[in-house]
Amino acid sequence: MAYLAYLILLVLLTAIERTWPGWLLIHDQGPELVVAAVVSIGLCGGPMAGCFAGLIGALLLGSVESAWLGGTFFAFMTLGTVVGLLRGALLAERAPMAALVTLAAIPVVEVIRLIFAAPPSPAPWVLPVLVAAPYSALLALPIFGLFRAVTGLLAPEP
Amino acid sequence: MRAMHGPVVRWEVIVAMVVIAAIFTWGQHRARAVGGTSLPERGARSLVWPVQSVLVGAGGATRDVVVAAYRGRSLVTENEELEARVRQLEADRLRMVSYYLENTAMRKKLGWAPLEPAPSVAARVIDWSSGQSRKRVAIEANRQLELGNIVRTEAGLVGRVIEAQGTRGTVMLLNDAESAVAARVLREDGDFGMVSVASEASENRVMLKMVPHSHKADLRVGDVLVSSGDGGVYPQGVPIGFIESVETSAVNVASITAYIRPFADFEHLDYVLVERRGE
């Protein structure tokens, strides 16, 4: 049931990311809500949930962006699984941690996607990432709260 | 207490998901090789695009309310100015109707085929892809879209539908790195050439360029370019833009490039018109 809720929320967040209002863009760049969601699900639900979120998030975002799926799958699924594996050991299940991990994850995810589908000139790529990382980290706080509530409600501890 | 326990990992499930991702990736490559879209991509879009459609509509309504509340006073003045402008345009339109009727009667006398404008439907833009070289938008119309449908605004050509999924589809814009339009200068004996995105484009620079077929081409600043219809991808006569500057290569005088400012505003595409290619 929790996985169905994750799926619905990922669809919603993908749509919000892709229709982010123009007046909220910073240097023509909006936040990467799907990455923040994958991090949050990994932190709340563990490696399996993180991997699932990476799979679904990459499929939704890659399809809507008409991007190549291979690099997106690799980046998002690795991120979700690794965050899930480090949960409880290195990463505390707290909102500030979700923001910090998102801040670090966005450049990593973008580098991986860049390697899989390199643009003609990578220089203009730097500024959007520098804007998107802190912007997404800020929004990771409410997103993490949302996923923690959903996980607590639908997948309670035994 | 969850954070204190190490996560229970079922690796077989994770491996299964990796295999699914690999299959989806393989399916996408296979579909793209024949110019199509894979089934998982279509499924994902059919989930996300309706939500985007609702969000775009709701966002527009919210923006209208906020603007009305914020600029209530100036909107009254603006409205009066617009009403005056509408009256002027209505007078112009009536004059154009008389010209049109005159033109139709003359074409009939000369035995020429009637010149009818292509029927088009309005479509709303619901997604903007802002990659460096991939310039695409997703649109939603009130009729089925087809591959190859021409997309334009009242001002000029915007692009064409490259992926259609019911009433929604993806449009490749003229400033996409893969786009090329056969064009001609709108003058008597105007030269022909190919219009594509200018790789030198920046925020302060025009976005398109035309490379003429002939090295003796006569391209002048201010010339209007329309689609020539060559190749059959775009119909002829759709306005593209005007020439803002003409450059001759320093090393090869036969190499001429015209830089074009498009009529359509690619930065603010909210609504577009969709025409069938054959119409």
Side-chain angles (χ1 to χ4, degrees), chain A residues 16-35 61 65 76 102 106-107 109-110 113 122-139, chain B residues 128-132 135 203 267:
Chain A
I16 294 173
E17 178 178 326
R18 298 298 302 165
T19 49
W20 196 249
W23 54 277
L24 283 176
L25 296 177
I26 302 171
H27 285 284
D28 283 338
Q29 182 64 41
E32 299 197 9
L33 302 179
V34 178
V35 174
L61 194 64
E65 283 181 345
F76 282 43
T102 304
I106 282 175
V109 164
E110 291 304 323
R113 295 183 79 186
W125 167 90
V126 177
L127 181 64
V129 171
L130 287 177
V131 172
Y135 201 175
S136 313
L138 190 68
L139 289 168
Chain B
W128 297 259
S129 291
S130 53
Q132 285 181 54
K135 302 288 183 187
E203 282 178 19
E267 301 302 320

Tab-separated table of all heavy atoms in Angstrom, chain A residues 16-35 61 65 76 102 106-107 109-110 113 122-139, chain B residues 128-132 135 203 267:
chain	number	residue	atom	x	y	z
A	16	ILE	N	4.452	18.410	-10.922
A	16	ILE	CA	4.741	19.738	-10.331
A	16	ILE	C	6.114	20.226	-10.784
A	16	ILE	O	6.274	21.395	-11.138
A	16	ILE	CB	4.671	19.671	-8.779
A	16	ILE	CG1	3.236	19.390	-8.332
A	16	ILE	CG2	5.160	20.974	-8.157
A	16	ILE	CD1	3.083	19.130	-6.847
A	17	GLU	N	7.090	19.332	-10.799
A	17	GLU	CA	8.442	19.741	-11.236
A	17	GLU	C	8.423	20.259	-12.670
A	17	GLU	O	9.077	21.236	-12.996
A	17	GLU	CB	9.410	18.555	-11.114
A	17	GLU	CG	10.819	18.895	-11.583
A	17	GLU	CD	11.821	17.762	-11.430
A	17	GLU	OE1	11.698	16.994	-10.464
A	17	GLU	OE2	12.717	17.652	-12.281
A	18	ARG	N	7.651	19.576	-13.529
A	18	ARG	CA	7.642	19.950	-14.945
A	18	ARG	C	6.770	21.171	-15.233
A	18	ARG	O	6.843	21.726	-16.322
A	18	ARG	CB	7.145	18.768	-15.794
A	18	ARG	CG	8.006	17.529	-15.714
A	18	ARG	CD	9.388	17.746	-16.221
A	18	ARG	NE	9.378	18.213	-17.598
A	18	ARG	CZ	10.419	18.748	-18.220
A	18	ARG	NH1	11.536	18.928	-17.580
A	18	ARG	NH2	10.331	19.121	-19.467
A	19	THR	N	5.899	21.550	-14.274
A	19	THR	CA	5.050	22.728	-14.504
A	19	THR	C	5.350	23.799	-13.455
A	19	THR	O	4.482	24.576	-13.116
A	19	THR	CB	3.555	22.357	-14.440
A	19	THR	OG1	3.324	21.603	-13.258
A	19	THR	CG2	3.110	21.545	-15.619
A	20	TRP	N	6.553	23.795	-12.966
A	20	TRP	CA	6.930	24.753	-11.919
A	20	TRP	C	6.689	26.169	-12.437
A	20	TRP	O	7.132	26.503	-13.533
A	20	TRP	CB	8.407	24.560	-11.562
A	20	TRP	CG	8.803	25.200	-10.277
A	20	TRP	CD1	9.611	26.279	-10.130
A	20	TRP	CD2	8.428	24.797	-8.951
A	20	TRP	NE1	9.768	26.573	-8.798
A	20	TRP	CE2	9.040	25.684	-8.047
A	20	TRP	CE3	7.624	23.774	-8.441
A	20	TRP	CZ2	8.883	25.583	-6.672
A	20	TRP	CZ3	7.470	23.684	-7.068
A	20	TRP	CH2	8.096	24.571	-6.200
A	21	PRO	N	5.967	27.024	-11.686
A	21	PRO	CA	5.608	28.349	-12.210
A	21	PRO	C	6.822	29.201	-12.561
A	21	PRO	O	7.836	29.164	-11.840
A	21	PRO	CB	4.833	28.992	-11.056
A	21	PRO	CG	4.618	27.949	-10.048
A	21	PRO	CD	5.483	26.785	-10.340
A	22	GLY	N	6.704	29.941	-13.646
A	22	GLY	CA	7.815	30.757	-14.142
A	22	GLY	C	8.311	31.762	-13.116
A	22	GLY	O	9.506	32.017	-13.022
A	23	TRP	N	7.379	32.313	-12.309
A	23	TRP	CA	7.801	33.344	-11.362
A	23	TRP	C	8.535	32.754	-10.167
A	23	TRP	O	9.065	33.487	-9.334
A	23	TRP	CB	6.600	34.185	-10.929
A	23	TRP	CG	5.443	33.398	-10.380
A	23	TRP	CD1	4.462	32.779	-11.092
A	23	TRP	CD2	5.150	33.125	-9.006
A	23	TRP	NE1	3.575	32.144	-10.256
A	23	TRP	CE2	3.968	32.347	-8.969
A	23	TRP	CE3	5.749	33.472	-7.793
A	23	TRP	CZ2	3.393	31.905	-7.775
A	23	TRP	CZ3	5.171	33.021	-6.606
A	23	TRP	CH2	4.008	32.258	-6.612
A	24	LEU	N	8.576	31.432	-10.067
A	24	LEU	CA	9.331	30.802	-8.979
A	24	LEU	C	10.660	30.217	-9.474
A	24	LEU	O	11.373	29.573	-8.714
A	24	LEU	CB	8.500	29.681	-8.337
A	24	LEU	CG	7.393	30.140	-7.390
A	24	LEU	CD1	6.577	28.949	-6.911
A	24	LEU	CD2	7.962	30.879	-6.193
A	25	LEU	N	10.957	30.435	-10.757
A	25	LEU	CA	12.226	29.934	-11.292
A	25	LEU	C	13.355	30.877	-10.878
A	25	LEU	O	13.165	32.090	-10.817
A	25	LEU	CB	12.174	29.855	-12.817
A	25	LEU	CG	11.177	28.876	-13.438
A	25	LEU	CD1	11.220	28.993	-14.954
A	25	LEU	CD2	11.473	27.447	-13.028
A	26	ILE	N	14.516	30.313	-10.619
A	26	ILE	CA	15.701	31.114	-10.320
A	26	ILE	C	16.691	30.859	-11.450
A	26	ILE	O	17.119	29.725	-11.651
A	26	ILE	CB	16.322	30.708	-8.965
A	26	ILE	CG1	15.284	30.873	-7.852
A	26	ILE	CG2	17.561	31.542	-8.659
A	26	ILE	CD1	15.703	30.315	-6.510
A	27	HIS	N	17.031	31.912	-12.187
A	27	HIS	CA	17.880	31.761	-13.383
A	27	HIS	C	17.318	30.692	-14.318
A	27	HIS	O	18.047	29.805	-14.781
A	27	HIS	CB	19.319	31.424	-13.007
A	27	HIS	CG	20.083	32.589	-12.461
A	27	HIS	ND1	20.571	33.596	-13.249
A	27	HIS	CD2	20.398	32.915	-11.190
A	27	HIS	CE1	21.179	34.489	-12.490
A	27	HIS	NE2	21.078	34.108	-11.237
A	28	ASP	N	16.013	30.749	-14.527
A	28	ASP	CA	15.306	29.792	-15.396
A	28	ASP	C	15.403	28.359	-14.897
A	28	ASP	O	15.281	27.408	-15.670
A	28	ASP	CB	15.843	29.856	-16.842
A	28	ASP	CG	15.305	31.060	-17.573
A	28	ASP	OD1	14.243	31.570	-17.151
A	28	ASP	OD2	15.936	31.500	-18.546
A	29	GLN	N	15.653	28.184	-13.649
A	29	GLN	CA	15.830	26.837	-13.114
A	29	GLN	C	14.888	26.595	-11.938
A	29	GLN	O	14.816	27.416	-11.022
A	29	GLN	CB	17.298	26.664	-12.667
A	29	GLN	CG	17.643	25.300	-12.138
A	29	GLN	CD	17.518	24.211	-13.198
A	29	GLN	OE1	17.896	24.412	-14.340
A	29	GLN	NE2	16.963	23.076	-12.818
A	30	GLY	N	14.191	25.473	-11.971
A	30	GLY	CA	13.319	25.101	-10.855
A	30	GLY	C	13.980	24.019	-10.024
A	30	GLY	O	15.079	23.560	-10.336
A	31	PRO	N	13.322	23.574	-8.969
A	31	PRO	CA	13.892	22.520	-8.131
A	31	PRO	C	13.716	21.136	-8.762
A	31	PRO	O	12.843	20.944	-9.608
A	31	PRO	CB	13.065	22.621	-6.850
A	31	PRO	CG	11.755	23.145	-7.316
A	31	PRO	CD	12.019	24.041	-8.477
A	32	GLU	N	14.534	20.195	-8.335
A	32	GLU	CA	14.413	18.810	-8.812
A	32	GLU	C	13.690	18.017	-7.723
A	32	GLU	O	14.306	17.387	-6.856
A	32	GLU	CB	15.797	18.248	-9.127
A	32	GLU	CG	16.478	19.069	-10.216
A	32	GLU	CD	17.646	18.360	-10.865
A	32	GLU	OE1	17.843	17.157	-10.599
A	32	GLU	OE2	18.366	19.009	-11.624
A	33	LEU	N	12.379	18.063	-7.812
A	33	LEU	CA	11.550	17.473	-6.761
A	33	LEU	C	11.625	15.952	-6.753
A	33	LEU	O	11.512	15.326	-5.697
A	33	LEU	CB	10.090	17.915	-6.940
A	33	LEU	CG	9.843	19.429	-6.923
A	33	LEU	CD1	8.370	19.725	-7.134
A	33	LEU	CD2	10.310	20.032	-5.618
A	34	VAL	N	11.811	15.362	-7.924
A	34	VAL	CA	11.836	13.892	-7.996
A	34	VAL	C	13.074	13.347	-7.288
A	34	VAL	O	12.999	12.335	-6.578
A	34	VAL	CB	11.753	13.404	-9.464
A	34	VAL	CG1	11.818	11.899	-9.537
A	34	VAL	CG2	10.469	13.907	-10.108
A	35	VAL	N	14.197	14.031	-7.443
A	35	VAL	CA	15.418	13.596	-6.738
A	35	VAL	C	15.194	13.698	-5.227
A	35	VAL	O	15.523	12.774	-4.468
A	35	VAL	CB	16.635	14.451	-7.175
A	35	VAL	CG1	17.854	14.105	-6.331
A	35	VAL	CG2	16.946	14.228	-8.645
A	61	LEU	N	10.041	10.832	-15.018
A	61	LEU	CA	10.735	12.062	-15.407
A	61	LEU	C	11.384	11.913	-16.789
A	61	LEU	O	11.259	12.801	-17.640
A	61	LEU	CB	11.790	12.413	-14.357
A	61	LEU	CG	12.368	13.809	-14.437
A	61	LEU	CD1	11.280	14.858	-14.185
A	61	LEU	CD2	13.473	14.005	-13.412
A	65	GLU	N	10.409	14.103	-20.068
A	65	GLU	CA	11.476	14.935	-20.643
A	65	GLU	C	11.932	14.435	-22.009
A	65	GLU	O	12.759	15.074	-22.645
A	65	GLU	CB	12.713	14.909	-19.726
A	65	GLU	CG	12.605	15.760	-18.499
A	65	GLU	CD	13.875	15.710	-17.651
A	65	GLU	OE1	14.712	14.806	-17.862
A	65	GLU	OE2	14.019	16.572	-16.792
A	76	PHE	N	19.127	7.426	-10.569
A	76	PHE	CA	18.064	7.485	-9.564
A	76	PHE	C	18.002	6.209	-8.723
A	76	PHE	O	17.816	6.265	-7.506
A	76	PHE	CB	16.702	7.725	-10.241
A	76	PHE	CG	16.459	9.150	-10.652
A	76	PHE	CD1	17.441	9.910	-11.262
A	76	PHE	CD2	15.234	9.755	-10.434
A	76	PHE	CE1	17.224	11.218	-11.646
A	76	PHE	CE2	14.994	11.070	-10.808
A	76	PHE	CZ	15.993	11.793	-11.422
A	102	THR	N	20.005	15.602	-0.399
A	102	THR	CA	19.517	16.123	-1.689
A	102	THR	C	20.526	17.110	-2.277
A	102	THR	O	20.815	17.089	-3.471
A	102	THR	CB	18.142	16.807	-1.511
A	102	THR	OG1	17.245	15.862	-0.930
A	102	THR	CG2	17.585	17.302	-2.821
A	106	ILE	N	22.124	15.989	-6.009
A	106	ILE	CA	21.774	16.588	-7.314
A	106	ILE	C	22.984	16.727	-8.242
A	106	ILE	O	22.917	16.297	-9.406
A	106	ILE	CB	20.996	17.899	-7.112
A	106	ILE	CG1	19.562	17.492	-6.757
A	106	ILE	CG2	21.003	18.780	-8.363
A	106	ILE	CD1	18.642	18.559	-6.410
A	107	PRO	N	24.116	17.265	-7.773
A	107	PRO	CA	25.278	17.288	-8.681
A	107	PRO	C	25.697	15.888	-9.135
A	107	PRO	O	26.050	15.693	-10.304
A	107	PRO	CB	26.373	17.945	-7.850
A	107	PRO	CG	25.662	18.690	-6.780
A	107	PRO	CD	24.405	17.932	-6.496
A	109	VAL	N	23.812	13.121	-9.407
A	109	VAL	CA	22.825	12.612	-10.374
A	109	VAL	C	23.020	13.290	-11.733
A	109	VAL	O	23.012	12.631	-12.778
A	109	VAL	CB	21.384	12.868	-9.840
A	109	VAL	CG1	20.355	12.735	-10.941
A	109	VAL	CG2	21.069	11.906	-8.714
A	110	GLU	N	23.232	14.596	-11.706
A	110	GLU	CA	23.382	15.321	-12.973
A	110	GLU	C	24.673	14.941	-13.699
A	110	GLU	O	24.707	14.888	-14.927
A	110	GLU	CB	23.318	16.835	-12.735
A	110	GLU	CG	21.942	17.324	-12.309
A	110	GLU	CD	20.833	16.942	-13.288
A	110	GLU	OE1	21.080	16.950	-14.502
A	110	GLU	OE2	19.718	16.611	-12.834
A	113	ARG	N	23.950	11.628	-15.353
A	113	ARG	CA	23.109	11.819	-16.542
A	113	ARG	C	23.906	12.492	-17.663
A	113	ARG	O	23.690	12.216	-18.837
A	113	ARG	CB	21.876	12.644	-16.195
A	113	ARG	CG	20.944	11.937	-15.233
A	113	ARG	CD	19.700	12.723	-14.967
A	113	ARG	NE	18.734	12.584	-16.051
A	113	ARG	CZ	17.595	13.268	-16.122
A	113	ARG	NH1	17.300	14.145	-15.201
A	113	ARG	NH2	16.767	13.088	-17.127
A	122	PRO	N	29.298	21.416	-22.103
A	122	PRO	CA	28.824	21.211	-20.731
A	122	PRO	C	28.869	22.462	-19.858
A	122	PRO	O	28.299	22.465	-18.786
A	122	PRO	CB	29.761	20.139	-20.187
A	122	PRO	CG	30.959	20.201	-21.042
A	122	PRO	CD	30.580	20.780	-22.355
A	123	ALA	N	29.545	23.538	-20.302
A	123	ALA	CA	29.707	24.715	-19.435
A	123	ALA	C	28.381	25.283	-18.930
A	123	ALA	O	28.237	25.536	-17.730
A	123	ALA	CB	30.518	25.780	-20.153
A	124	PRO	N	27.361	25.488	-19.788
A	124	PRO	CA	26.110	26.061	-19.287
A	124	PRO	C	25.370	25.128	-18.321
A	124	PRO	O	24.382	25.520	-17.730
A	124	PRO	CB	25.271	26.268	-20.555
A	124	PRO	CG	26.212	26.165	-21.680
A	124	PRO	CD	27.325	25.282	-21.226
A	125	TRP	N	25.861	23.908	-18.164
A	125	TRP	CA	25.229	22.931	-17.286
A	125	TRP	C	25.492	23.261	-15.813
A	125	TRP	O	24.710	22.918	-14.937
A	125	TRP	CB	25.782	21.561	-17.671
A	125	TRP	CG	25.515	20.443	-16.720
A	125	TRP	CD1	24.430	19.609	-16.729
A	125	TRP	CD2	26.325	20.013	-15.623
A	125	TRP	NE1	24.535	18.702	-15.707
A	125	TRP	CE2	25.685	18.927	-15.017
A	125	TRP	CE3	27.538	20.452	-15.102
A	125	TRP	CZ2	26.210	18.262	-13.927
A	125	TRP	CZ3	28.067	19.794	-14.005
A	125	TRP	CH2	27.407	18.707	-13.429
A	126	VAL	N	26.598	23.947	-15.549
A	126	VAL	CA	27.041	24.158	-14.165
A	126	VAL	C	26.067	25.054	-13.390
A	126	VAL	O	25.660	24.722	-12.279
A	126	VAL	CB	28.469	24.761	-14.137
A	126	VAL	CG1	28.898	25.042	-12.712
A	126	VAL	CG2	29.450	23.804	-14.805
A	127	LEU	N	25.683	26.183	-13.984
A	127	LEU	CA	24.826	27.132	-13.269
A	127	LEU	C	23.480	26.518	-12.864
A	127	LEU	O	23.087	26.637	-11.695
A	127	LEU	CB	24.623	28.405	-14.111
A	127	LEU	CG	23.761	29.472	-13.439
A	127	LEU	CD1	24.418	30.005	-12.172
A	127	LEU	CD2	23.465	30.615	-14.403
A	128	PRO	N	22.774	25.826	-13.794
A	128	PRO	CA	21.513	25.204	-13.376
A	128	PRO	C	21.682	24.247	-12.191
A	128	PRO	O	20.838	24.207	-11.299
A	128	PRO	CB	21.055	24.438	-14.625
A	128	PRO	CG	21.683	25.152	-15.752
A	128	PRO	CD	22.974	25.682	-15.242
A	129	VAL	N	22.787	23.491	-12.179
A	129	VAL	CA	23.003	22.549	-11.068
A	129	VAL	C	23.261	23.302	-9.767
A	129	VAL	O	22.730	22.942	-8.715
A	129	VAL	CB	24.178	21.599	-11.396
A	129	VAL	CG1	24.555	20.769	-10.180
A	129	VAL	CG2	23.798	20.679	-12.544
A	130	LEU	N	24.030	24.396	-9.868
A	130	LEU	CA	24.318	25.181	-8.665
A	130	LEU	C	23.047	25.817	-8.097
A	130	LEU	O	22.939	26.030	-6.892
A	130	LEU	CB	25.349	26.283	-8.989
A	130	LEU	CG	26.779	25.806	-9.210
A	130	LEU	CD1	27.686	26.965	-9.586
A	130	LEU	CD2	27.319	25.094	-7.974
A	131	VAL	N	22.104	26.128	-8.973
A	131	VAL	CA	20.833	26.699	-8.514
A	131	VAL	C	19.914	25.589	-8.009
A	131	VAL	O	19.302	25.705	-6.940
A	131	VAL	CB	20.149	27.486	-9.666
A	131	VAL	CG1	18.754	27.920	-9.263
A	131	VAL	CG2	20.993	28.689	-10.053
A	132	ALA	N	19.842	24.510	-8.788
A	132	ALA	CA	18.873	23.443	-8.467
A	132	ALA	C	19.200	22.742	-7.152
A	132	ALA	O	18.285	22.363	-6.413
A	132	ALA	CB	18.831	22.426	-9.598
A	133	ALA	N	20.481	22.586	-6.841
A	133	ALA	CA	20.850	21.810	-5.640
A	133	ALA	C	20.317	22.455	-4.350
A	133	ALA	O	19.578	21.803	-3.596
A	133	ALA	CB	22.362	21.596	-5.595
A	134	PRO	N	20.646	23.720	-4.063
A	134	PRO	CA	20.103	24.289	-2.822
A	134	PRO	C	18.586	24.490	-2.855
A	134	PRO	O	17.913	24.333	-1.827
A	134	PRO	CB	20.821	25.639	-2.703
A	134	PRO	CG	21.386	25.924	-4.032
A	134	PRO	CD	21.585	24.634	-4.726
A	135	TYR	N	18.075	24.815	-4.045
A	135	TYR	CA	16.626	25.018	-4.187
A	135	TYR	C	15.890	23.715	-3.849
A	135	TYR	O	14.910	23.701	-3.081
A	135	TYR	CB	16.352	25.437	-5.636
A	135	TYR	CG	15.037	26.152	-5.882
A	135	TYR	CD1	14.749	26.663	-7.145
A	135	TYR	CD2	14.086	26.325	-4.889
A	135	TYR	CE1	13.566	27.334	-7.418
A	135	TYR	CE2	12.898	26.986	-5.143
A	135	TYR	CZ	12.644	27.490	-6.406
A	135	TYR	OH	11.473	28.136	-6.661
A	136	SER	N	16.384	22.609	-4.377
A	136	SER	CA	15.751	21.310	-4.133
A	136	SER	C	15.948	20.879	-2.677
A	136	SER	O	15.060	20.282	-2.070
A	136	SER	CB	16.346	20.239	-5.050
A	136	SER	OG	16.416	20.709	-6.356
A	137	ALA	N	17.137	21.206	-2.136
A	137	ALA	CA	17.417	20.830	-0.739
A	137	ALA	C	16.418	21.503	0.197
A	137	ALA	O	15.926	20.893	1.148
A	137	ALA	CB	18.845	21.229	-0.381
A	138	LEU	N	16.106	22.755	-0.116
A	138	LEU	CA	15.139	23.492	0.707
A	138	LEU	C	13.759	22.818	0.654
A	138	LEU	O	13.111	22.632	1.686
A	138	LEU	CB	15.054	24.923	0.180
A	138	LEU	CG	14.299	25.924	1.033
A	138	LEU	CD1	15.058	26.193	2.329
A	138	LEU	CD2	14.101	27.235	0.268
A	139	LEU	N	13.371	22.444	-0.550
A	139	LEU	CA	12.049	21.825	-0.709
A	139	LEU	C	12.037	20.364	-0.266
A	139	LEU	O	10.975	19.758	-0.139
A	139	LEU	CB	11.596	21.953	-2.160
A	139	LEU	CG	11.234	23.393	-2.527
A	139	LEU	CD1	11.072	23.541	-4.024
A	139	LEU	CD2	9.959	23.834	-1.838
B	128	TRP	N	7.458	21.987	-20.850
B	128	TRP	CA	8.530	22.665	-21.559
B	128	TRP	C	9.832	21.926	-21.274
B	128	TRP	O	10.227	21.826	-20.101
B	128	TRP	CB	8.684	24.111	-21.084
B	128	TRP	CG	7.493	24.968	-21.340
B	128	TRP	CD1	7.338	25.879	-22.347
B	128	TRP	CD2	6.274	25.035	-20.571
B	128	TRP	NE1	6.101	26.483	-22.251
B	128	TRP	CE2	5.425	25.989	-21.177
B	128	TRP	CE3	5.807	24.366	-19.443
B	128	TRP	CZ2	4.159	26.292	-20.690
B	128	TRP	CZ3	4.545	24.661	-18.958
B	128	TRP	CH2	3.735	25.624	-19.584
B	129	SER	N	10.500	21.425	-22.293
B	129	SER	CA	11.807	20.793	-22.108
B	129	SER	C	12.865	21.835	-22.400
B	129	SER	O	12.892	22.397	-23.493
B	129	SER	CB	11.979	19.608	-23.055
B	129	SER	OG	11.116	18.582	-22.677
B	130	SER	N	13.712	22.095	-21.416
B	130	SER	CA	14.653	23.205	-21.589
B	130	SER	C	16.089	22.716	-21.606
B	130	SER	O	16.937	23.277	-20.954
B	130	SER	CB	14.460	24.209	-20.462
B	130	SER	OG	14.546	23.539	-19.222
B	131	GLY	N	16.356	21.643	-22.324
B	131	GLY	CA	17.732	21.174	-22.463
B	131	GLY	C	18.513	22.137	-23.350
B	131	GLY	O	17.955	23.024	-23.964
B	132	GLN	N	19.821	21.943	-23.389
B	132	GLN	CA	20.647	22.850	-24.192
B	132	GLN	C	20.376	22.727	-25.679
B	132	GLN	O	20.387	23.709	-26.403
B	132	GLN	CB	22.119	22.566	-23.935
B	132	GLN	CG	22.596	23.092	-22.602
B	132	GLN	CD	24.053	22.802	-22.425
B	132	GLN	OE1	24.863	23.153	-23.267
B	132	GLN	NE2	24.401	22.132	-21.357
B	135	LYS	N	14.931	21.259	-27.705
B	135	LYS	CA	13.912	22.265	-27.413
B	135	LYS	C	12.569	21.689	-27.835
B	135	LYS	O	12.238	21.679	-29.023
B	135	LYS	CB	14.209	23.561	-28.188
B	135	LYS	CG	15.569	24.147	-27.894
B	135	LYS	CD	15.632	24.745	-26.513
B	135	LYS	CE	16.988	25.391	-26.269
B	135	LYS	NZ	17.151	25.836	-24.889
B	203	GLU	N	21.231	34.495	-25.127
B	203	GLU	CA	20.081	35.297	-24.699
B	203	GLU	C	19.972	36.580	-25.511
B	203	GLU	O	18.898	37.118	-25.713
B	203	GLU	CB	20.213	35.633	-23.218
B	203	GLU	CG	19.831	34.459	-22.329
B	203	GLU	CD	20.002	34.783	-20.866
B	203	GLU	OE1	20.069	35.958	-20.522
B	203	GLU	OE2	20.079	33.827	-20.081
B	267	GLU	N	9.983	31.693	-26.113
B	267	GLU	CA	10.167	31.755	-24.663
B	267	GLU	C	8.830	31.822	-23.921
B	267	GLU	O	8.775	31.614	-22.726
B	267	GLU	CB	11.025	32.981	-24.292
B	267	GLU	CG	12.407	32.989	-24.921
B	267	GLU	CD	13.216	31.760	-24.564
B	267	GLU	OE1	13.156	31.321	-23.406
B	267	GLU	OE2	13.891	31.223	-25.465
